[in-house]
Amino acid sequence: MKAANKQLAEWDKELNQLHESNGDLGLKVQMLEQELKEARRDRETNKNLAPTVAEFPEPADLLNQLRAQRKKTRAEREDVEVILGLLGG
């Protein structure tokens, strides 16, 4: 009888330790879930702040605008295309 009570006490102690450990794991899971929610929210915020692809006018239109402002420019349409290519990345 004494041995059985001793064994029950050991199992009870081990069960309590498992409950404590499980509680700690539950808390860690909750913290990680909160971190994940924040990371997702931050990702959406950053995604919305990311620069969009710039839309440029046609090279010929830009060249016409340039020539309207600088009558003696030597730029050609191909030059404008290269510049737009550089700006577009």
Side-chain angles (χ1 to χ4, degrees):
M1 189 72 148
K2 232 180 185 182
N5 282 341
K6 185 177 180 182
Q7 184 65 39
L8 284 174
E10 286 179 18
W11 285 346
D12 192 39
K13 182 179 176 183
E14 189 176 326
L15 184 59
N16 285 336
Q17 288 174 345
L18 289 173
H19 281 297
E20 287 177 19
S21 175
N22 189 26
D24 290 345
L25 291 176
L27 182 60
K28 285 181 183 179
V29 167
Q30 287 176 347
M31 290 170 57
L32 289 172
E33 286 174 342
Q34 184 62 31
E35 265 186 64
L36 181 59
K37 285 179 188 176
E38 290 173 10
R40 285 181 176 157
R41 188 173 40 243
D42 290 346
R43 182 182 70 194
E44 285 302 313
T45 301
N46 290 340
K47 192 177 180 183
N48 293 336
L49 294 176
T52 57
V53 175
E55 302 251 345
F56 297 111
E58 290 297 315
D61 294 334
L62 280 176
L63 183 59
N64 288 336
Q65 290 175 24
L66 176 64
R67 286 184 176 159
Q69 291 181 12
R70 300 190 66 191
K71 305 274 187 224
K72 294 183 180 183
T73 185
R74 292 193 221 175
E76 299 292 329
R77 195 186 91 223
E78 292 80 19
D79 299 325
V80 175
E81 287 175 351
V82 169
I83 291 169
L84 288 175
L86 292 171
L87 291 174

